Amino acid sequence: MCTGFTKNSAAANAIFGGGKPMNKRMIARMCLDKGTLANFLEIHRRFSPSPNYRLRNMVKCGLNAIKHDRLIRHEQSYLLNSFIPPLNSPAFLNIALQVPGEGPDFFDNHVQGKRLAPISTYIAVTGKCRYNCWHCSAASAGQSAGQKELSTPALIRIVQKLQDLGVGIIGFTGGEPLLRDDLEEIVAAVDRQKSMVLVFSTGFNLTLERAAALKGAGLFGIALSLDSVRKERHDELRGYPGAYDQALNGIRNARQAGLYTMSQTVCTRELMAEGEIFELAEMLKGSGIHEMRIMEPLPCGRLSGPSSALLSAEEQNQLKQLHITLNGDQRYPKASVFPYFESAEQFGCGAGTQHSYVDAAGNFGPCDFLEDLRYGNLLTDDVREVWQKMHQASGGPKCSCLAKDPEQCNSALPKFYRLLGGIRP
């Protein structure tokens, strides 16, 4: 991507950030970074034996990925978004190389979305939570306040197995992961040369001291839930008095501790129709977050079965447009909207190909939103065998979310793969 950018600055100017000086400057700085250059040169070297590989097609992939996005520099790291490791990190090169085959097969398998390991795995380190969120995906998965948790050594074994597999992002979720007093020890067990480490939380009791301890243990970033600008409404949605203040305090403390700080919002039709999502974005920009992650209600957990909360196709398209609108306006923070990334125009649904999930009992599946699909247990089974079984069953990247539209998913490749392989849209 950097090679193409320097060779064709006119095309880059037209696409990167719509000509915005801030984005172009960031791209130029990233392309001069030694880690970024080394990573892309190594990927280029590995792709080159294939007669089907063209450098210009890899450049097109980069242009398409960033055309409605913003690059972020956090400390010494350059990020496109929190779905992939920093572009100049060893973890980014790790995910790029976790594809089967040597010589020409390596590139050809890339184009088909075949992988030796998922890019990301989220681990539910507990089923316990003080909140009672209206949309909770874990609510029907046997997770409750009385559930027995896996021990610290058991979770560390799971982390080590995933890193041996080649996972590039390890995220800790729950329940509420901050309820574990040993979370710092579990985070510290992750080799940061192989994986970026994230935590997904409500912000419950995230003091400055706790945020600093997690940062010291090796945590890269934390995503904190906030669903409304109105305190009463957020507390109601989360089923916990004081949830709003906990979230805002958590954001402030995470920023002060030096963590890559994200918000996470479940965007309802009301948030969009009333324009509150833009108020929330402005408020979060003022709080200094690095990235606003936006999801939609999904048919799992408390929303399993028919639900009026699920968005229509038109509303999902509005949500995709929201990604473009927010990233195109400096009044708002960098935004990462899940339906945009999971669309046919970007990377598609990565369940079982790019992403995976480990529940609070150690069961390994393609996604936390596919609660009934589990292929083995990482406490007892060989991680490579379970991954290959899951990966083969997934059938490759899908052009729509498998949790939302299992009947609509087909064998067509999302645009990222088609561009990389020079396949006509």
Side-chain angles (χ1 to χ4, degrees), residues 335-391:
S336 294
V337 178
F338 281 55
Y340 174 86
F341 285 107
E342 292 181 343
S343 70
E345 291 302 301
Q346 285 293 329
F347 301 96
C349 176
T353 55
Q354 303 153 3
H355 183 64
S356 58
Y357 173 70
V358 180
D359 69 20
N363 299 307
F364 198 24
C367 180
D368 38 338
F369 300 121
L370 295 168
E371 52 200 353
D372 296 327
L373 280 180
R374 299 291 181 262
Y375 289 86
N377 189 287
L378 295 193
L379 294 175
T380 57
D381 299 328
D382 181 272
V383 66
R384 285 181 173 79
E385 291 180 3
V386 178
W387 166 252
Q388 285 303 318
K389 182 166 60 172
M390 184 196 314
H391 188 47

Side-chain angles (χ1 to χ4, degrees), residues 14 34 36 147 199 292 305 391:
K34 292 180 180 179
T36 306
Q147 183 191 44
V199 162
M292 183 180 186
H391 188 47

Side-chain angles (χ1 to χ4, degrees), residues 184-222:
E184 289 84 349
E185 185 179 353
I186 298 167
V187 167
V190 180
D191 182 347
R192 285 170 285 166
Q193 290 296 303
K194 297 179 180 178
S195 311
M196 176 174 76
V197 194
L198 303 175
V199 162
F200 300 93
S201 169
T202 62
F204 181 77
N205 275 356
L206 183 61
T207 62
L208 177 58
E209 293 74 20
R210 188 82 196 271
L214 288 165
K215 170 75 171 177
L219 184 65
F220 181 84
I222 188 166

Side-chain angles (χ1 to χ4, degrees), residues 106-413:
F106 179 75
F107 173 76
D108 296 341
N109 286 334
H110 248 285
V111 172
Q112 295 302 316
K114 296 179 181 179
R115 295 194 57 80
L116 296 170
I119 292 171
S120 56
T121 301
Y122 296 167
I123 306 170
V125 295
T126 182
K128 298 177 181 178
C129 186
R130 304 286 176 84
Y131 292 20
N132 189 28
C133 301
W134 68 280
H135 63 278
C136 183
S137 62
S140 65
Q143 298 188 8
S144 65
Q147 183 191 44
K148 184 178 179 180
E149 295 177 336
L150 294 179
S151 67
T152 309
L155 283 168
I156 290 175
R157 284 202 308 276
I158 287 174
V159 166
Q160 290 171 341
K161 283 187 173 186
L162 290 169
Q163 289 212 283
D164 289 343
L165 183 64
V167 175
I169 298 176
I170 292 180
F172 296 115
T173 183
E176 173 50 68
L178 293 178
L179 290 176
R180 288 199 68 125
D181 294 335
D182 60 352
L183 185 59
E184 289 84 349
E185 185 179 353
I186 298 167
V187 167
V190 180
D191 182 347
R192 285 170 285 166
Q193 290 296 303
K194 297 179 180 178
S195 311
M196 176 174 76
V197 194
L198 303 175
V199 162
F200 300 93
S201 169
T202 62
F204 181 77
N205 275 356
L206 183 61
T207 62
L208 177 58
E209 293 74 20
R210 188 82 196 271
L214 288 165
K215 170 75 171 177
L219 184 65
F220 181 84
I222 188 166
L224 303 167
S225 300
L226 192 62
D227 290 333
S228 177
V229 295
R230 293 174 290 162
K231 176 178 179 177
E232 296 78 9
R233 179 60 175 159
H234 178 77
D235 288 359
E236 177 188 1
L237 290 170
R238 293 287 165 171
Y240 188 85
Y244 181 86
D245 292 333
Q246 294 273 4
L248 290 183
N249 288 337
I251 288 170
R252 181 168 53 252
N253 292 332
R255 278 284 292 166
Q256 190 171 341
L259 292 168
Y260 184 76
T261 305
M262 300 165 281
S263 64
Q264 190 148 276
T265 299
V266 178
C267 189
T268 61
R269 63 172 54 88
E270 292 77 17
L271 271 178
M272 287 192 290
E274 298 168 9
E276 187 184 349
I277 188 67
F278 294 102
E279 295 178 53
L280 182 60
E282 281 196 79
M283 185 181 80
L284 288 165
K285 178 68 179 282
S287 75
I289 66 163
H290 297 101
E291 182 177 340
M292 183 180 186
R293 291 167 59 107
I294 300 176
M295 307 170 63
E296 66 176 303
L298 290 172
C300 60
R302 289 205 168 97
L303 297 181
S304 294
S307 172
S308 61
L310 304 182
L311 303 184
S312 67
E314 180 181 351
E315 288 165 337
Q316 290 172 22
N317 286 332
Q318 292 173 7
L319 202 52
K320 294 174 190 175
Q321 180 61 41
L322 183 65
H323 176 96
I324 299 170
T325 302
L326 292 177
N327 282 317
D329 192 327
Q330 289 298 322
R331 291 176 298 171
Y332 308 122
K334 170 187 174 53
S336 294
V337 178
F338 281 55
Y340 174 86
F341 285 107
E342 292 181 343
S343 70
E345 291 302 301
Q346 285 293 329
F347 301 96
C349 176
T353 55
Q354 303 153 3
H355 183 64
S356 58
Y357 173 70
V358 180
D359 69 20
N363 299 307
F364 198 24
C367 180
D368 38 338
F369 300 121
L370 295 168
E371 52 200 353
D372 296 327
L373 280 180
R374 299 291 181 262
Y375 289 86
N377 189 287
L378 295 193
L379 294 175
T380 57
D381 299 328
D382 181 272
V383 66
R384 285 181 173 79
E385 291 180 3
V386 178
W387 166 252
Q388 285 303 318
K389 182 166 60 172
M390 184 196 314
H391 188 47
Q392 290 171 12
S394 75
K398 306 298 182 185
C399 285
S400 57
C401 173
L402 193 58
K404 291 188 302 185
D405 304 307
E407 302 302 323
Q408 300 299 316
C409 293
N410 53 46
S411 59
L413 287 169

Side-chain angles (χ1 to χ4, degrees), residues 33-50:
D33 179 87
K34 292 180 180 179
T36 306
L37 286 170
N39 283 348
F40 280 97
L41 285 172
E42 177 61 17
I43 295 167
H44 172 68
R45 186 187 72 80
R46 291 291 301 273
F47 281 172
S48 293
S50 172

